[in-house]
PDB file of all heavy atoms in Angstrom:
ATOM      1  N   PHE A   1    -140.842  52.720  -1.958  1.00 86.00           N
ATOM      2  CA  PHE A   1    -140.083  51.689  -2.661  1.00 86.00           C
ATOM      3  C   PHE A   1    -139.494  52.190  -3.987  1.00 86.00           C
ATOM      4  O   PHE A   1    -138.920  51.402  -4.736  1.00 86.00           O
ATOM      5  CB  PHE A   1    -140.976  50.478  -2.933  1.00 86.00           C
ATOM      6  CG  PHE A   1    -141.561  49.871  -1.679  1.00 86.00           C
ATOM      7  CD1 PHE A   1    -142.878  50.127  -1.323  1.00 86.00           C
ATOM      8  CD2 PHE A   1    -140.791  49.080  -0.850  1.00 86.00           C
ATOM      9  CE1 PHE A   1    -143.428  49.583  -0.172  1.00 86.00           C
ATOM     10  CE2 PHE A   1    -141.327  48.531   0.307  1.00 86.00           C
ATOM     11  CZ  PHE A   1    -142.649  48.784   0.654  1.00 86.00           C
ATOM     12  N   GLY A   2    -139.615  53.472  -4.274  1.00 88.00           N
ATOM     13  CA  GLY A   2    -139.102  53.996  -5.526  1.00 88.00           C
ATOM     14  C   GLY A   2    -137.583  54.082  -5.539  1.00 88.00           C
ATOM     15  O   GLY A   2    -136.923  54.127  -4.494  1.00 88.00           O
ATOM     16  N   SER A   3    -137.005  54.124  -6.736  1.00 91.00           N
ATOM     17  CA  SER A   3    -135.561  54.237  -6.882  1.00 91.00           C
ATOM     18  C   SER A   3    -135.244  55.045  -8.132  1.00 91.00           C
ATOM     19  O   SER A   3    -136.039  55.098  -9.078  1.00 91.00           O
ATOM     20  CB  SER A   3    -134.899  52.861  -6.964  1.00 91.00           C
ATOM     21  OG  SER A   3    -135.379  52.150  -8.090  1.00 91.00           O
ATOM     22  N   PHE A   4    -134.081  55.673  -8.140  1.00 94.00           N
ATOM     23  CA  PHE A   4    -133.668  56.473  -9.280  1.00 94.00           C
ATOM     24  C   PHE A   4    -133.368  55.588 -10.478  1.00 94.00           C
ATOM     25  O   PHE A   4    -132.856  54.475 -10.344  1.00 94.00           O
ATOM     26  CB  PHE A   4    -132.423  57.293  -8.938  1.00 94.00           C
ATOM     27  CG  PHE A   4    -132.694  58.476  -8.050  1.00 94.00           C
ATOM     28  CD1 PHE A   4    -132.157  58.551  -6.779  1.00 94.00           C
ATOM     29  CD2 PHE A   4    -133.483  59.527  -8.491  1.00 94.00           C
ATOM     30  CE1 PHE A   4    -132.400  59.644  -5.961  1.00 94.00           C
ATOM     31  CE2 PHE A   4    -133.738  60.629  -7.687  1.00 94.00           C
ATOM     32  CZ  PHE A   4    -133.193  60.680  -6.417  1.00 94.00           C
ATOM     33  N   ASP A   5    -133.684  56.100 -11.647  1.00 95.00           N
ATOM     34  CA  ASP A   5    -133.347  55.456 -12.910  1.00 95.00           C
ATOM     35  C   ASP A   5    -131.976  55.988 -13.333  1.00 95.00           C
ATOM     36  O   ASP A   5    -131.834  57.165 -13.652  1.00 95.00           O
ATOM     37  CB  ASP A   5    -134.416  55.792 -13.956  1.00 95.00           C
ATOM     38  CG  ASP A   5    -134.138  55.173 -15.315  1.00 95.00           C
ATOM     39  OD1 ASP A   5    -132.997  54.743 -15.563  1.00 95.00           O
ATOM     40  OD2 ASP A   5    -135.069  55.129 -16.140  1.00 95.00           O
ATOM     41  N   GLN A   6    -130.956  55.108 -13.330  1.00 95.00           N
ATOM     42  CA  GLN A   6    -129.605  55.565 -13.642  1.00 95.00           C
ATOM     43  C   GLN A   6    -129.518  56.201 -15.017  1.00 95.00           C
ATOM     44  O   GLN A   6    -128.833  57.217 -15.202  1.00 95.00           O
ATOM     45  CB  GLN A   6    -128.615  54.402 -13.547  1.00 95.00           C
ATOM     46  CG  GLN A   6    -128.224  54.030 -12.133  1.00 95.00           C
ATOM     47  CD  GLN A   6    -127.049  53.056 -12.093  1.00 95.00           C
ATOM     48  OE1 GLN A   6    -126.656  52.499 -13.109  1.00 95.00           O
ATOM     49  NE2 GLN A   6    -126.499  52.858 -10.915  1.00 95.00           N
ATOM     50  N   GLY A   7    -130.201  55.596 -15.994  1.00 95.00           N
ATOM     51  CA  GLY A   7    -130.178  56.164 -17.330  1.00 95.00           C
ATOM     52  C   GLY A   7    -130.745  57.563 -17.356  1.00 95.00           C
ATOM     53  O   GLY A   7    -130.206  58.462 -18.021  1.00 95.00           O
ATOM     54  N   GLN A   8    -131.833  57.785 -16.633  1.00 96.00           N
ATOM     55  CA  GLN A   8    -132.433  59.115 -16.592  1.00 96.00           C
ATOM     56  C   GLN A   8    -131.514  60.112 -15.895  1.00 96.00           C
ATOM     57  O   GLN A   8    -131.389  61.261 -16.325  1.00 96.00           O
ATOM     58  CB  GLN A   8    -133.790  59.066 -15.886  1.00 96.00           C
ATOM     59  CG  GLN A   8    -134.518  60.397 -15.905  1.00 96.00           C
ATOM     60  CD  GLN A   8    -135.913  60.317 -15.334  1.00 96.00           C
ATOM     61  OE1 GLN A   8    -136.115  59.799 -14.235  1.00 96.00           O
ATOM     62  NE2 GLN A   8    -136.892  60.835 -16.079  1.00 96.00           N
ATOM     63  N   LEU A   9    -130.857  59.685 -14.810  1.00 97.00           N
ATOM     64  CA  LEU A   9    -129.937  60.581 -14.116  1.00 97.00           C
ATOM     65  C   LEU A   9    -128.768  60.967 -15.023  1.00 97.00           C
ATOM     66  O   LEU A   9    -128.325  62.119 -15.016  1.00 97.00           O
ATOM     67  CB  LEU A   9    -129.419  59.925 -12.842  1.00 97.00           C
ATOM     68  CG  LEU A   9    -130.432  59.685 -11.729  1.00 97.00           C
ATOM     69  CD1 LEU A   9    -129.730  59.145 -10.481  1.00 97.00           C
ATOM     70  CD2 LEU A   9    -131.202  60.955 -11.386  1.00 97.00           C
ATOM     71  N   GLN A  10    -128.265  60.020 -15.801  1.00 96.00           N
ATOM     72  CA  GLN A  10    -127.166  60.339 -16.705  1.00 96.00           C
ATOM     73  C   GLN A  10    -127.615  61.301 -17.799  1.00 96.00           C
ATOM     74  O   GLN A  10    -126.885  62.234 -18.158  1.00 96.00           O
ATOM     75  CB  GLN A  10    -126.605  59.053 -17.312  1.00 96.00           C
ATOM     76  CG  GLN A  10    -125.873  58.178 -16.307  1.00 96.00           C
ATOM     77  CD  GLN A  10    -125.217  56.972 -16.949  1.00 96.00           C
ATOM     78  OE1 GLN A  10    -125.186  56.839 -18.175  1.00 96.00           O
ATOM     79  NE2 GLN A  10    -124.695  56.065 -16.130  1.00 96.00           N
ATOM     80  N   ARG A  11    -128.822  61.093 -18.315  1.00 97.00           N
ATOM     81  CA  ARG A  11    -129.334  62.030 -19.316  1.00 97.00           C
ATOM     82  C   ARG A  11    -129.567  63.409 -18.690  1.00 97.00           C
ATOM     83  O   ARG A  11    -129.281  64.443 -19.323  1.00 97.00           O
ATOM     84  CB  ARG A  11    -130.633  61.503 -19.925  1.00 97.00           C
ATOM     85  CG  ARG A  11    -130.478  60.223 -20.721  1.00 97.00           C
ATOM     86  CD  ARG A  11    -131.739  59.930 -21.527  1.00 97.00           C
ATOM     87  NE  ARG A  11    -132.945  59.847 -20.714  1.00 97.00           N
ATOM     88  CZ  ARG A  11    -133.394  58.739 -20.141  1.00 97.00           C
ATOM     89  NH1 ARG A  11    -132.736  57.600 -20.283  1.00 97.00           N
ATOM     90  NH2 ARG A  11    -134.519  58.750 -19.436  1.00 97.00           N
ATOM     91  N   GLY A  12    -130.083  63.427 -17.473  1.00 97.00           N
ATOM     92  CA  GLY A  12    -130.309  64.699 -16.797  1.00 97.00           C
ATOM     93  C   GLY A  12    -129.017  65.445 -16.541  1.00 97.00           C
ATOM     94  O   GLY A  12    -128.951  66.678 -16.681  1.00 97.00           O
ATOM     95  N   PHE A  13    -127.976  64.711 -16.172  1.00 97.00           N
ATOM     96  CA  PHE A  13    -126.672  65.344 -15.984  1.00 97.00           C
ATOM     97  C   PHE A  13    -126.158  65.901 -17.306  1.00 97.00           C
ATOM     98  O   PHE A  13    -125.548  66.978 -17.350  1.00 97.00           O
ATOM     99  CB  PHE A  13    -125.673  64.350 -15.410  1.00 97.00           C
ATOM    100  CG  PHE A  13    -124.275  64.887 -15.329  1.00 97.00           C
ATOM    101  CD1 PHE A  13    -123.972  65.969 -14.523  1.00 97.00           C
ATOM    102  CD2 PHE A  13    -123.252  64.330 -16.084  1.00 97.00           C
ATOM    103  CE1 PHE A  13    -122.678  66.483 -14.458  1.00 97.00           C
ATOM    104  CE2 PHE A  13    -121.971  64.831 -16.033  1.00 97.00           C
ATOM    105  CZ  PHE A  13    -121.677  65.916 -15.213  1.00 97.00           C
ATOM    106  N   GLN A  14    -126.408  65.191 -18.386  1.00 97.00           N
ATOM    107  CA  GLN A  14    -125.984  65.670 -19.705  1.00 97.00           C
ATOM    108  C   GLN A  14    -126.682  66.983 -20.044  1.00 97.00           C
ATOM    109  O   GLN A  14    -126.048  67.927 -20.543  1.00 97.00           O
ATOM    110  CB  GLN A  14    -126.288  64.621 -20.772  1.00 97.00           C
ATOM    111  CG  GLN A  14    -125.821  65.011 -22.167  1.00 97.00           C
ATOM    112  CD  GLN A  14    -126.149  63.954 -23.219  1.00 97.00           C
ATOM    113  OE1 GLN A  14    -126.645  62.871 -22.903  1.00 97.00           O
ATOM    114  NE2 GLN A  14    -125.888  64.279 -24.470  1.00 97.00           N
ATOM    115  N   VAL A  15    -127.986  67.075 -19.753  1.00 97.00           N
ATOM    116  CA  VAL A  15    -128.718  68.321 -20.002  1.00 97.00           C
ATOM    117  C   VAL A  15    -128.162  69.442 -19.128  1.00 97.00           C
ATOM    118  O   VAL A  15    -127.960  70.581 -19.590  1.00 97.00           O
ATOM    119  CB  VAL A  15    -130.228  68.127 -19.751  1.00 97.00           C
ATOM    120  CG1 VAL A  15    -130.967  69.464 -19.881  1.00 97.00           C
ATOM    121  CG2 VAL A  15    -130.810  67.113 -20.723  1.00 97.00           C
ATOM    122  N   TYR A  16    -127.912  69.127 -17.850  1.00 97.00           N
ATOM    123  CA  TYR A  16    -127.343  70.150 -16.960  1.00 97.00           C
ATOM    124  C   TYR A  16    -125.991  70.618 -17.484  1.00 97.00           C
ATOM    125  O   TYR A  16    -125.727  71.823 -17.569  1.00 97.00           O
ATOM    126  CB  TYR A  16    -127.178  69.608 -15.545  1.00 97.00           C
ATOM    127  CG  TYR A  16    -126.321  70.507 -14.692  1.00 97.00           C
ATOM    128  CD1 TYR A  16    -126.820  71.718 -14.209  1.00 97.00           C
ATOM    129  CD2 TYR A  16    -124.991  70.182 -14.412  1.00 97.00           C
ATOM    130  CE1 TYR A  16    -126.026  72.575 -13.463  1.00 97.00           C
ATOM    131  CE2 TYR A  16    -124.191  71.026 -13.665  1.00 97.00           C
ATOM    132  CZ  TYR A  16    -124.705  72.214 -13.186  1.00 97.00           C
ATOM    133  OH  TYR A  16    -123.916  73.069 -12.460  1.00 97.00           O
ATOM    134  N   LYS A  17    -125.137  69.689 -17.854  1.00 96.00           N
ATOM    135  CA  LYS A  17    -123.771  70.026 -18.274  1.00 96.00           C
ATOM    136  C   LYS A  17    -123.769  70.834 -19.568  1.00 96.00           C
ATOM    137  O   LYS A  17    -123.008  71.802 -19.703  1.00 96.00           O
ATOM    138  CB  LYS A  17    -122.949  68.746 -18.445  1.00 96.00           C
ATOM    139  CG  LYS A  17    -121.466  68.949 -18.750  1.00 96.00           C
ATOM    140  CD  LYS A  17    -120.743  67.617 -18.719  1.00 96.00           C
ATOM    141  CE  LYS A  17    -119.245  67.801 -18.975  1.00 96.00           C
ATOM    142  NZ  LYS A  17    -118.949  68.263 -20.338  1.00 96.00           N
ATOM    143  N   GLU A  18    -124.613  70.452 -20.525  1.00 96.00           N
ATOM    144  CA  GLU A  18    -124.586  71.099 -21.833  1.00 96.00           C
ATOM    145  C   GLU A  18    -125.429  72.370 -21.904  1.00 96.00           C
ATOM    146  O   GLU A  18    -125.195  73.214 -22.779  1.00 96.00           O
ATOM    147  CB  GLU A  18    -125.061  70.114 -22.905  1.00 96.00           C
ATOM    148  CG  GLU A  18    -124.143  68.910 -23.084  1.00 96.00           C
ATOM    149  CD  GLU A  18    -124.586  68.003 -24.218  1.00 96.00           C
ATOM    150  OE1 GLU A  18    -125.417  68.437 -25.050  1.00 96.00           O
ATOM    151  OE2 GLU A  18    -124.107  66.857 -24.271  1.00 96.00           O
ATOM    152  N   VAL A  19    -126.404  72.503 -21.021  1.00 96.00           N
ATOM    153  CA  VAL A  19    -127.327  73.649 -21.112  1.00 96.00           C
ATOM    154  C   VAL A  19    -127.312  74.484 -19.831  1.00 96.00           C
ATOM    155  O   VAL A  19    -126.969  75.675 -19.851  1.00 96.00           O
ATOM    156  CB  VAL A  19    -128.773  73.168 -21.403  1.00 96.00           C
ATOM    157  CG1 VAL A  19    -129.714  74.370 -21.514  1.00 96.00           C
ATOM    158  CG2 VAL A  19    -128.813  72.344 -22.683  1.00 96.00           C
ATOM    159  N   CYS A  20    -127.663  73.873 -18.730  1.00 95.00           N
ATOM    160  CA  CYS A  20    -127.927  74.633 -17.506  1.00 95.00           C
ATOM    161  C   CYS A  20    -126.673  75.168 -16.835  1.00 95.00           C
ATOM    162  O   CYS A  20    -126.704  76.218 -16.194  1.00 95.00           O
ATOM    163  CB  CYS A  20    -128.694  73.768 -16.502  1.00 95.00           C
ATOM    164  SG  CYS A  20    -130.096  72.884 -17.200  1.00 95.00           S
ATOM    165  N   SER A  21    -125.547  74.435 -16.941  1.00 94.00           N
ATOM    166  CA  SER A  21    -124.346  74.818 -16.204  1.00 94.00           C
ATOM    167  C   SER A  21    -123.744  76.123 -16.691  1.00 94.00           C
ATOM    168  O   SER A  21    -122.867  76.683 -16.035  1.00 94.00           O
ATOM    169  CB  SER A  21    -123.298  73.698 -16.291  1.00 94.00           C
ATOM    170  OG  SER A  21    -122.889  73.493 -17.630  1.00 94.00           O
ATOM    171  N   ALA A  22    -124.194  76.628 -17.839  1.00 93.00           N
ATOM    172  CA  ALA A  22    -123.700  77.913 -18.320  1.00 93.00           C
ATOM    173  C   ALA A  22    -124.118  79.053 -17.398  1.00 93.00           C
ATOM    174  O   ALA A  22    -123.450  80.093 -17.354  1.00 93.00           O
ATOM    175  CB  ALA A  22    -124.210  78.177 -19.735  1.00 93.00           C
ATOM    176  N   CYS A  23    -125.206  78.866 -16.654  1.00 93.00           N
ATOM    177  CA  CYS A  23    -125.712  79.921 -15.765  1.00 93.00           C
ATOM    178  C   CYS A  23    -125.846  79.468 -14.317  1.00 93.00           C
ATOM    179  O   CYS A  23    -125.689  80.269 -13.396  1.00 93.00           O
ATOM    180  CB  CYS A  23    -127.071  80.421 -16.250  1.00 93.00           C
ATOM    181  SG  CYS A  23    -127.053  81.184 -17.895  1.00 93.00           S
ATOM    182  N   HIS A  24    -126.173  78.190 -14.113  1.00 95.00           N
ATOM    183  CA  HIS A  24    -126.505  77.709 -12.771  1.00 95.00           C
ATOM    184  C   HIS A  24    -125.361  76.902 -12.169  1.00 95.00           C
ATOM    185  O   HIS A  24    -124.826  75.995 -12.806  1.00 95.00           O
ATOM    186  CB  HIS A  24    -127.764  76.843 -12.812  1.00 95.00           C
ATOM    187  CG  HIS A  24    -128.996  77.594 -13.191  1.00 95.00           C
ATOM    188  ND1 HIS A  24    -129.797  78.221 -12.266  1.00 95.00           N
ATOM    189  CD2 HIS A  24    -129.560  77.837 -14.404  1.00 95.00           C
ATOM    190  CE1 HIS A  24    -130.813  78.808 -12.880  1.00 95.00           C
ATOM    191  NE2 HIS A  24    -130.693  78.584 -14.180  1.00 95.00           N
ATOM    192  N   SER A  25    -125.034  77.217 -10.939  1.00 95.00           N
ATOM    193  CA  SER A  25    -124.010  76.478 -10.202  1.00 95.00           C
ATOM    194  C   SER A  25    -124.631  75.262  -9.520  1.00 95.00           C
ATOM    195  O   SER A  25    -125.847  75.111  -9.470  1.00 95.00           O
ATOM    196  CB  SER A  25    -123.360  77.390  -9.158  1.00 95.00           C
ATOM    197  OG  SER A  25    -124.345  77.859  -8.231  1.00 95.00           O
ATOM    198  N   MET A  26    -123.771  74.409  -9.000  1.00 95.00           N
ATOM    199  CA  MET A  26    -124.193  73.244  -8.224  1.00 95.00           C
ATOM    200  C   MET A  26    -123.122  73.023  -7.149  1.00 95.00           C
ATOM    201  O   MET A  26    -122.411  72.027  -7.124  1.00 95.00           O
ATOM    202  CB  MET A  26    -124.356  72.023  -9.141  1.00 95.00           C
ATOM    203  CG  MET A  26    -125.208  70.924  -8.555  1.00 95.00           C
ATOM    204  SD  MET A  26    -125.809  69.754  -9.802  1.00 95.00           S
ATOM    205  CE  MET A  26    -124.270  69.200 -10.532  1.00 95.00           C
ATOM    206  N   LYS A  27    -123.033  73.999  -6.260  1.00 94.00           N
ATOM    207  CA  LYS A  27    -121.900  74.117  -5.353  1.00 94.00           C
ATOM    208  C   LYS A  27    -121.822  73.027  -4.286  1.00 94.00           C
ATOM    209  O   LYS A  27    -120.744  72.802  -3.721  1.00 94.00           O
ATOM    210  CB  LYS A  27    -121.940  75.490  -4.656  1.00 94.00           C
ATOM    211  CG  LYS A  27    -121.870  76.675  -5.608  1.00 94.00           C
ATOM    212  CD  LYS A  27    -121.998  77.986  -4.849  1.00 94.00           C
ATOM    213  CE  LYS A  27    -121.990  79.186  -5.795  1.00 94.00           C
ATOM    214  NZ  LYS A  27    -122.166  80.464  -5.065  1.00 94.00           N
ATOM    215  N   LEU A  28    -122.919  72.380  -3.969  1.00 95.00           N
ATOM    216  CA  LEU A  28    -122.925  71.408  -2.880  1.00 95.00           C
ATOM    217  C   LEU A  28    -122.704  69.975  -3.355  1.00 95.00           C
ATOM    218  O   LEU A  28    -122.689  69.059  -2.538  1.00 95.00           O
ATOM    219  CB  LEU A  28    -124.243  71.491  -2.105  1.00 95.00           C
ATOM    220  CG  LEU A  28    -124.575  72.853  -1.491  1.00 95.00           C
ATOM    221  CD1 LEU A  28    -125.887  72.778  -0.718  1.00 95.00           C
ATOM    222  CD2 LEU A  28    -123.449  73.335  -0.576  1.00 95.00           C
ATOM    223  N   VAL A  29    -122.545  69.784  -4.650  1.00 95.00           N
ATOM    224  CA  VAL A  29    -122.372  68.437  -5.206  1.00 95.00           C
ATOM    225  C   VAL A  29    -120.922  68.267  -5.658  1.00 95.00           C
ATOM    226  O   VAL A  29    -120.388  69.119  -6.371  1.00 95.00           O
ATOM    227  CB  VAL A  29    -123.327  68.197  -6.390  1.00 95.00           C
ATOM    228  CG1 VAL A  29    -123.133  66.797  -6.969  1.00 95.00           C
ATOM    229  CG2 VAL A  29    -124.774  68.383  -5.938  1.00 95.00           C
ATOM    230  N   ALA A  30    -120.291  67.175  -5.231  1.00 96.00           N
ATOM    231  CA  ALA A  30    -118.919  66.870  -5.630  1.00 96.00           C
ATOM    232  C   ALA A  30    -118.925  65.909  -6.813  1.00 96.00           C
ATOM    233  O   ALA A  30    -119.877  65.143  -7.011  1.00 96.00           O
ATOM    234  CB  ALA A  30    -118.148  66.272  -4.458  1.00 96.00           C
ATOM    235  N   PHE A  31    -117.854  65.931  -7.578  1.00 96.00           N
ATOM    236  CA  PHE A  31    -117.742  65.015  -8.715  1.00 96.00           C
ATOM    237  C   PHE A  31    -117.880  63.564  -8.261  1.00 96.00           C
ATOM    238  O   PHE A  31    -118.510  62.742  -8.926  1.00 96.00           O
ATOM    239  CB  PHE A  31    -116.398  65.220  -9.424  1.00 96.00           C
ATOM    240  CG  PHE A  31    -116.264  66.548 -10.110  1.00 96.00           C
ATOM    241  CD1 PHE A  31    -115.409  67.517  -9.599  1.00 96.00           C
ATOM    242  CD2 PHE A  31    -116.986  66.848 -11.252  1.00 96.00           C
ATOM    243  CE1 PHE A  31    -115.272  68.747 -10.221  1.00 96.00           C
ATOM    244  CE2 PHE A  31    -116.860  68.074 -11.889  1.00 96.00           C
ATOM    245  CZ  PHE A  31    -115.995  69.026 -11.364  1.00 96.00           C
ATOM    246  N   ARG A  32    -117.296  63.228  -7.129  1.00 96.00           N
ATOM    247  CA  ARG A  32    -117.306  61.843  -6.662  1.00 96.00           C
ATOM    248  C   ARG A  32    -118.710  61.344  -6.354  1.00 96.00           C
ATOM    249  O   ARG A  32    -118.951  60.128  -6.354  1.00 96.00           O
ATOM    250  CB  ARG A  32    -116.430  61.697  -5.423  1.00 96.00           C
ATOM    251  CG  ARG A  32    -116.919  62.480  -4.207  1.00 96.00           C
ATOM    252  CD  ARG A  32    -115.953  62.398  -3.050  1.00 96.00           C
ATOM    253  NE  ARG A  32    -116.393  63.212  -1.927  1.00 96.00           N
ATOM    254  CZ  ARG A  32    -115.623  63.474  -0.865  1.00 96.00           C
ATOM    255  NH1 ARG A  32    -114.404  62.981  -0.803  1.00 96.00           N
ATOM    256  NH2 ARG A  32    -116.088  64.228   0.111  1.00 96.00           N
ATOM    257  N   ASN A  33    -119.649  62.266  -6.086  1.00 96.00           N
ATOM    258  CA  ASN A  33    -121.025  61.853  -5.828  1.00 96.00           C
ATOM    259  C   ASN A  33    -121.633  61.129  -7.024  1.00 96.00           C
ATOM    260  O   ASN A  33    -122.521  60.294  -6.870  1.00 96.00           O
ATOM    261  CB  ASN A  33    -121.903  63.052  -5.472  1.00 96.00           C
ATOM    262  CG  ASN A  33    -121.519  63.711  -4.158  1.00 96.00           C
ATOM    263  OD1 ASN A  33    -121.503  64.926  -4.042  1.00 96.00           O
ATOM    264  ND2 ASN A  33    -121.184  62.917  -3.146  1.00 96.00           N
ATOM    265  N   LEU A  34    -121.130  61.441  -8.226  1.00 96.00           N
ATOM    266  CA  LEU A  34    -121.663  60.817  -9.438  1.00 96.00           C
ATOM    267  C   LEU A  34    -121.370  59.325  -9.500  1.00 96.00           C
ATOM    268  O   LEU A  34    -122.015  58.595 -10.262  1.00 96.00           O
ATOM    269  CB  LEU A  34    -121.083  61.501 -10.681  1.00 96.00           C
ATOM    270  CG  LEU A  34    -121.425  62.985 -10.868  1.00 96.00           C
ATOM    271  CD1 LEU A  34    -120.630  63.567 -12.026  1.00 96.00           C
ATOM    272  CD2 LEU A  34    -122.921  63.166 -11.108  1.00 96.00           C
ATOM    273  N   ALA A  35    -120.391  58.859  -8.714  1.00 96.00           N
ATOM    274  CA  ALA A  35    -120.024  57.445  -8.730  1.00 96.00           C
ATOM    275  C   ALA A  35    -120.528  56.698  -7.500  1.00 96.00           C
ATOM    276  O   ALA A  35    -120.279  55.496  -7.364  1.00 96.00           O
ATOM    277  CB  ALA A  35    -118.502  57.298  -8.828  1.00 96.00           C
ATOM    278  N   GLU A  36    -121.233  57.377  -6.611  1.00 94.00           N
ATOM    279  CA  GLU A  36    -121.704  56.737  -5.387  1.00 94.00           C
ATOM    280  C   GLU A  36    -122.946  55.898  -5.656  1.00 94.00           C
ATOM    281  O   GLU A  36    -123.708  56.178  -6.593  1.00 94.00           O
ATOM    282  CB  GLU A  36    -121.994  57.792  -4.321  1.00 94.00           C
ATOM    283  CG  GLU A  36    -120.742  58.511  -3.828  1.00 94.00           C
ATOM    284  CD  GLU A  36    -121.054  59.599  -2.824  1.00 94.00           C
ATOM    285  OE1 GLU A  36    -122.260  59.966  -2.698  1.00 94.00           O
ATOM    286  OE2 GLU A  36    -120.128  60.096  -2.172  1.00 94.00           O
ATOM    287  N   PRO A  37    -123.174  54.849  -4.839  1.00 93.00           N
ATOM    288  CA  PRO A  37    -124.369  54.016  -5.018  1.00 93.00           C
ATOM    289  C   PRO A  37    -125.649  54.846  -4.932  1.00 93.00           C
ATOM    290  O   PRO A  37    -125.749  55.785  -4.143  1.00 93.00           O
ATOM    291  CB  PRO A  37    -124.272  53.021  -3.847  1.00 93.00           C
ATOM    292  CG  PRO A  37    -122.819  52.974  -3.497  1.00 93.00           C
ATOM    293  CD  PRO A  37    -122.306  54.365  -3.746  1.00 93.00           C
TER     294      PRO A  37
END
């Protein structure tokens, strides 16, 4: 019955974008996935 916390996912994406994306790719995820339910 668990579900993702949208606020946490947005913060996690911010950490990925500002820190992790300098070295790590995310080739299987599309931008549009960020707006999906």
Side-chain angles (χ1 to χ4, degrees):
F1 302 102
S3 61
F4 285 116
D5 179 344
Q6 282 191 349
Q8 185 174 51
L9 293 185
Q10 291 185 7
R11 295 192 303 271
F13 174 63
Q14 183 181 355
V15 175
Y16 167 74
K17 186 173 182 293
E18 295 184 15
V19 181
C20 313
S21 63
C23 298
H24 294 271
S25 60
M26 199 162 57
K27 300 177 182 178
L28 302 182
V29 180
F31 293 109
R32 64 185 177 190
N33 294 139
L34 297 172
E36 293 177 347

